[in-house]
Each structure stands twice: as C-alpha cells, then as structure tokens.
Amino acid sequence: MNKALFWDLQGTLGGEAVASIEFFEAYPFSKEALKLAKHNGFKNIVITNQSRIGKGTLSVEAYERMVERILNYFNSNESLIDEFLCCPHQNKDNCECKKPKTGLIQLCTQKYNLQISDCFVIGDMGKNEIVMARNAGCKGILVLTGGGKGSLGEYRHTWLDYEADIITDNALE
C-alpha cells in the first residue's frame, strides 16, 4: 500500500470547520467514506491544525481525549484511520507542520513509503488543504461540507492558481 488519503478533520469528516475539536461529531457518511478508501488500497491519515493548543485555550489532555473518542468511533469495527496527526502551533510559531505546510505529509511519506503522486489531500479549506496538496505534489479534493462552499466561493482567491476536484455534500452518501 503506497498511497494515502490525507483527510482534514473538522469540516471534512465532521463538525464545524473552525470550532473546537471538543465539539466534533462525525458526519453520517464519513465512516463509509473512510471504509471505501481503505478497501481501495489507501491509507487514511488525518491531519488537523489545532492552534488552540498553542494558544492555551485547549489542553493537550482534552485534545487527546477527543482523539481517543474519534478513533474509537472510526475504528470500532475495523481500523479505518491509520494515523492521526496534529499541528498544535500558531502561525507565529513558523513550524513546518501547520497546514498548508507539508511537514506532516513528508513525515508520512517517509514512514509509509508513499508514492506522493498517488496520494490525495481531502479537505474543506482551499487555503489550507488544497494549497497543502499542491505544495506536497499530490492531488487536492475540496469537499463542500464545513467551510467548503465558502472556500469555493468567497475565499477562492486564497487558492486561485490551483485546480481541485470538487465533491458535493452528498457525493459520498
């Protein structure tokens, strides 16, 4: 298995795009989407920005409890999520792991010996996930859940020079 789907969490697999992870609830179709990817030979890797940790408004313990709850849900019958990675930094930290930077993708590419041209980034924020896909050298898919409709319309200028496939709200149902 040398290919992966890099999934955004909030606004893509569930919840509100910019809400705290503490309020995350999976979309009804998310488990089936992960299952479909897994059965087609993809690793499912979640990459999430959680700058609230860096700001001190979300504790690492609260974050870890939510990740455990999320993984228990998605991996209850079969292991659908292979890796769950987080950037806890703020923009001012200038790290290499905050989307749209590609540090976490590079880590996974090495760890799993991924062929990056066979990988996809799936997310609801063009300026984060779609730009990250371009920066990493893989394909980007914008979903219209979460902040996707706004990203496609009002915020399209933030990723204007990059083409992405657009998936509607019910395409995975």
PDB file of all heavy atoms in Angstrom, residues 12-30:
ATOM      1  N   THR A  12     -14.593  18.373   7.373  1.00  0.00           N
ATOM      2  CA  THR A  12     -14.425  17.376   6.315  1.00  0.00           C
ATOM      3  C   THR A  12     -14.995  16.034   6.746  1.00  0.00           C
ATOM      4  O   THR A  12     -15.856  15.478   6.074  1.00  0.00           O
ATOM      5  CB  THR A  12     -12.936  17.238   5.940  1.00  0.00           C
ATOM      6  OG1 THR A  12     -12.445  18.512   5.510  1.00  0.00           O
ATOM      7  CG2 THR A  12     -12.742  16.214   4.837  1.00  0.00           C
ATOM      8  N   LEU A  13     -14.533  15.509   7.857  1.00  0.00           N
ATOM      9  CA  LEU A  13     -15.078  14.252   8.376  1.00  0.00           C
ATOM     10  C   LEU A  13     -16.225  14.494   9.351  1.00  0.00           C
ATOM     11  O   LEU A  13     -16.952  13.572   9.704  1.00  0.00           O
ATOM     12  CB  LEU A  13     -13.977  13.438   9.061  1.00  0.00           C
ATOM     13  CG  LEU A  13     -12.914  12.865   8.118  1.00  0.00           C
ATOM     14  CD1 LEU A  13     -11.804  12.187   8.909  1.00  0.00           C
ATOM     15  CD2 LEU A  13     -13.536  11.901   7.118  1.00  0.00           C
ATOM     16  N   GLY A  14     -16.387  15.748   9.764  1.00  0.00           N
ATOM     17  CA  GLY A  14     -17.475  16.094  10.668  1.00  0.00           C
ATOM     18  C   GLY A  14     -17.242  17.442  11.302  1.00  0.00           C
ATOM     19  O   GLY A  14     -16.216  18.090  11.074  1.00  0.00           O
ATOM     20  N   GLY A  15     -18.196  17.854  12.110  1.00  0.00           N
ATOM     21  CA  GLY A  15     -18.048  19.084  12.879  1.00  0.00           C
ATOM     22  C   GLY A  15     -18.028  20.361  12.064  1.00  0.00           C
ATOM     23  O   GLY A  15     -18.189  20.353  10.856  1.00  0.00           O
ATOM     24  N   GLU A  16     -17.819  21.428  12.778  1.00  0.00           N
ATOM     25  CA  GLU A  16     -17.702  22.747  12.163  1.00  0.00           C
ATOM     26  C   GLU A  16     -16.252  22.989  11.780  1.00  0.00           C
ATOM     27  O   GLU A  16     -15.333  22.583  12.500  1.00  0.00           O
ATOM     28  CB  GLU A  16     -18.168  23.830  13.138  1.00  0.00           C
ATOM     29  CG  GLU A  16     -19.636  23.724  13.511  1.00  0.00           C
ATOM     30  CD  GLU A  16     -20.547  24.004  12.333  1.00  0.00           C
ATOM     31  OE1 GLU A  16     -20.237  24.902  11.522  1.00  0.00           O
ATOM     32  OE2 GLU A  16     -21.574  23.306  12.214  1.00  0.00           O
ATOM     33  N   ALA A  17     -16.047  23.713  10.699  1.00  0.00           N
ATOM     34  CA  ALA A  17     -14.705  23.925  10.166  1.00  0.00           C
ATOM     35  C   ALA A  17     -13.752  24.578  11.162  1.00  0.00           C
ATOM     36  O   ALA A  17     -12.584  24.206  11.245  1.00  0.00           O
ATOM     37  CB  ALA A  17     -14.774  24.753   8.888  1.00  0.00           C
ATOM     38  N   VAL A  18     -14.222  25.539  11.919  1.00  0.00           N
ATOM     39  CA  VAL A  18     -13.320  26.288  12.802  1.00  0.00           C
ATOM     40  C   VAL A  18     -13.681  26.165  14.277  1.00  0.00           C
ATOM     41  O   VAL A  18     -13.139  26.874  15.104  1.00  0.00           O
ATOM     42  CB  VAL A  18     -13.235  27.782  12.384  1.00  0.00           C
ATOM     43  CG1 VAL A  18     -12.597  27.917  11.018  1.00  0.00           C
ATOM     44  CG2 VAL A  18     -14.609  28.424  12.401  1.00  0.00           C
ATOM     45  N   ALA A  19     -14.547  25.261  14.621  1.00  0.00           N
ATOM     46  CA  ALA A  19     -14.926  25.054  16.026  1.00  0.00           C
ATOM     47  C   ALA A  19     -13.846  24.259  16.755  1.00  0.00           C
ATOM     48  O   ALA A  19     -12.972  23.658  16.134  1.00  0.00           O
ATOM     49  CB  ALA A  19     -16.258  24.310  16.109  1.00  0.00           C
ATOM     50  N   SER A  20     -13.933  24.223  18.046  1.00  0.00           N
ATOM     51  CA  SER A  20     -13.003  23.422  18.838  1.00  0.00           C
ATOM     52  C   SER A  20     -13.258  21.943  18.576  1.00  0.00           C
ATOM     53  O   SER A  20     -14.408  21.511  18.406  1.00  0.00           O
ATOM     54  CB  SER A  20     -13.189  23.719  20.330  1.00  0.00           C
ATOM     55  OG  SER A  20     -12.387  22.849  21.092  1.00  0.00           O
ATOM     56  N   ILE A  21     -12.207  21.165  18.574  1.00  0.00           N
ATOM     57  CA  ILE A  21     -12.311  19.717  18.401  1.00  0.00           C
ATOM     58  C   ILE A  21     -13.203  19.096  19.486  1.00  0.00           C
ATOM     59  O   ILE A  21     -13.777  18.034  19.302  1.00  0.00           O
ATOM     60  CB  ILE A  21     -10.915  19.061  18.392  1.00  0.00           C
ATOM     61  CG1 ILE A  21     -11.002  17.600  17.930  1.00  0.00           C
ATOM     62  CG2 ILE A  21     -10.233  19.210  19.741  1.00  0.00           C
ATOM     63  CD1 ILE A  21      -9.657  16.938  17.716  1.00  0.00           C
ATOM     64  N   GLU A  22     -13.358  19.790  20.599  1.00  0.00           N
ATOM     65  CA  GLU A  22     -14.189  19.291  21.692  1.00  0.00           C
ATOM     66  C   GLU A  22     -15.649  19.123  21.281  1.00  0.00           C
ATOM     67  O   GLU A  22     -16.396  18.388  21.922  1.00  0.00           O
ATOM     68  CB  GLU A  22     -14.100  20.239  22.890  1.00  0.00           C
ATOM     69  CG  GLU A  22     -12.705  20.308  23.483  1.00  0.00           C
ATOM     70  CD  GLU A  22     -12.562  21.433  24.475  1.00  0.00           C
ATOM     71  OE1 GLU A  22     -12.650  22.604  24.066  1.00  0.00           O
ATOM     72  OE2 GLU A  22     -12.370  21.117  25.662  1.00  0.00           O
ATOM     73  N   PHE A  23     -16.060  19.782  20.206  1.00  0.00           N
ATOM     74  CA  PHE A  23     -17.446  19.704  19.736  1.00  0.00           C
ATOM     75  C   PHE A  23     -17.590  18.836  18.491  1.00  0.00           C
ATOM     76  O   PHE A  23     -18.632  18.829  17.849  1.00  0.00           O
ATOM     77  CB  PHE A  23     -17.986  21.113  19.454  1.00  0.00           C
ATOM     78  CG  PHE A  23     -17.874  22.018  20.650  1.00  0.00           C
ATOM     79  CD1 PHE A  23     -16.967  23.069  20.655  1.00  0.00           C
ATOM     80  CD2 PHE A  23     -18.654  21.801  21.776  1.00  0.00           C
ATOM     81  CE1 PHE A  23     -16.853  23.899  21.767  1.00  0.00           C
ATOM     82  CE2 PHE A  23     -18.547  22.624  22.886  1.00  0.00           C
ATOM     83  CZ  PHE A  23     -17.633  23.671  22.883  1.00  0.00           C
ATOM     84  N   PHE A  24     -16.545  18.092  18.140  1.00  0.00           N
ATOM     85  CA  PHE A  24     -16.548  17.291  16.918  1.00  0.00           C
ATOM     86  C   PHE A  24     -17.589  16.176  16.975  1.00  0.00           C
ATOM     87  O   PHE A  24     -17.648  15.420  17.937  1.00  0.00           O
ATOM     88  CB  PHE A  24     -15.171  16.665  16.674  1.00  0.00           C
ATOM     89  CG  PHE A  24     -15.131  15.824  15.430  1.00  0.00           C
ATOM     90  CD1 PHE A  24     -14.902  16.395  14.200  1.00  0.00           C
ATOM     91  CD2 PHE A  24     -15.342  14.451  15.497  1.00  0.00           C
ATOM     92  CE1 PHE A  24     -14.880  15.629  13.046  1.00  0.00           C
ATOM     93  CE2 PHE A  24     -15.313  13.668  14.352  1.00  0.00           C
ATOM     94  CZ  PHE A  24     -15.083  14.261  13.126  1.00  0.00           C
ATOM     95  N   GLU A  25     -18.388  16.099  15.930  1.00  0.00           N
ATOM     96  CA  GLU A  25     -19.309  14.986  15.702  1.00  0.00           C
ATOM     97  C   GLU A  25     -19.148  14.584  14.245  1.00  0.00           C
ATOM     98  O   GLU A  25     -19.212  15.423  13.347  1.00  0.00           O
ATOM     99  CB  GLU A  25     -20.764  15.404  15.966  1.00  0.00           C
ATOM    100  CG  GLU A  25     -21.077  15.705  17.421  1.00  0.00           C
ATOM    101  CD  GLU A  25     -20.972  14.493  18.336  1.00  0.00           C
ATOM    102  OE1 GLU A  25     -21.205  13.359  17.865  1.00  0.00           O
ATOM    103  OE2 GLU A  25     -20.633  14.680  19.523  1.00  0.00           O
ATOM    104  N   ALA A  26     -18.933  13.303  14.003  1.00  0.00           N
ATOM    105  CA  ALA A  26     -18.722  12.809  12.642  1.00  0.00           C
ATOM    106  C   ALA A  26     -19.967  12.989  11.788  1.00  0.00           C
ATOM    107  O   ALA A  26     -21.085  12.854  12.276  1.00  0.00           O
ATOM    108  CB  ALA A  26     -18.332  11.340  12.677  1.00  0.00           C
ATOM    109  N   TYR A  27     -19.758  13.288  10.509  1.00  0.00           N
ATOM    110  CA  TYR A  27     -20.872  13.300   9.566  1.00  0.00           C
ATOM    111  C   TYR A  27     -21.344  11.859   9.374  1.00  0.00           C
ATOM    112  O   TYR A  27     -20.526  10.925   9.450  1.00  0.00           O
ATOM    113  CB  TYR A  27     -20.449  13.872   8.210  1.00  0.00           C
ATOM    114  CG  TYR A  27     -20.068  15.330   8.228  1.00  0.00           C
ATOM    115  CD1 TYR A  27     -18.970  15.783   7.502  1.00  0.00           C
ATOM    116  CD2 TYR A  27     -20.803  16.279   8.936  1.00  0.00           C
ATOM    117  CE1 TYR A  27     -18.621  17.128   7.487  1.00  0.00           C
ATOM    118  CE2 TYR A  27     -20.459  17.618   8.930  1.00  0.00           C
ATOM    119  CZ  TYR A  27     -19.365  18.031   8.203  1.00  0.00           C
ATOM    120  OH  TYR A  27     -19.013  19.355   8.189  1.00  0.00           O
ATOM    121  N   PRO A  28     -22.622  11.655   9.078  1.00  0.00           N
ATOM    122  CA  PRO A  28     -23.140  10.286   8.939  1.00  0.00           C
ATOM    123  C   PRO A  28     -22.445   9.460   7.854  1.00  0.00           C
ATOM    124  O   PRO A  28     -22.370   8.242   7.957  1.00  0.00           O
ATOM    125  CB  PRO A  28     -24.612  10.501   8.573  1.00  0.00           C
ATOM    126  CG  PRO A  28     -24.929  11.892   8.972  1.00  0.00           C
ATOM    127  CD  PRO A  28     -23.653  12.668   8.944  1.00  0.00           C
ATOM    128  N   PHE A  29     -21.910  10.109   6.832  1.00  0.00           N
ATOM    129  CA  PHE A  29     -21.294   9.398   5.711  1.00  0.00           C
ATOM    130  C   PHE A  29     -19.779   9.234   5.844  1.00  0.00           C
ATOM    131  O   PHE A  29     -19.149   8.576   5.022  1.00  0.00           O
ATOM    132  CB  PHE A  29     -21.604  10.120   4.389  1.00  0.00           C
ATOM    133  CG  PHE A  29     -21.258  11.585   4.415  1.00  0.00           C
ATOM    134  CD1 PHE A  29     -19.973  12.028   4.186  1.00  0.00           C
ATOM    135  CD2 PHE A  29     -22.245  12.526   4.688  1.00  0.00           C
ATOM    136  CE1 PHE A  29     -19.659  13.368   4.220  1.00  0.00           C
ATOM    137  CE2 PHE A  29     -21.945  13.875   4.725  1.00  0.00           C
ATOM    138  CZ  PHE A  29     -20.637  14.297   4.486  1.00  0.00           C
ATOM    139  N   SER A  30     -19.180   9.803   6.872  1.00  0.00           N
ATOM    140  CA  SER A  30     -17.713   9.797   6.992  1.00  0.00           C
ATOM    141  C   SER A  30     -17.122   8.405   7.157  1.00  0.00           C
ATOM    142  O   SER A  30     -16.107   8.070   6.549  1.00  0.00           O
ATOM    143  CB  SER A  30     -17.268  10.671   8.159  1.00  0.00           C
ATOM    144  OG  SER A  30     -17.582  12.007   7.913  1.00  0.00           O
TER     145      SER A  30
END
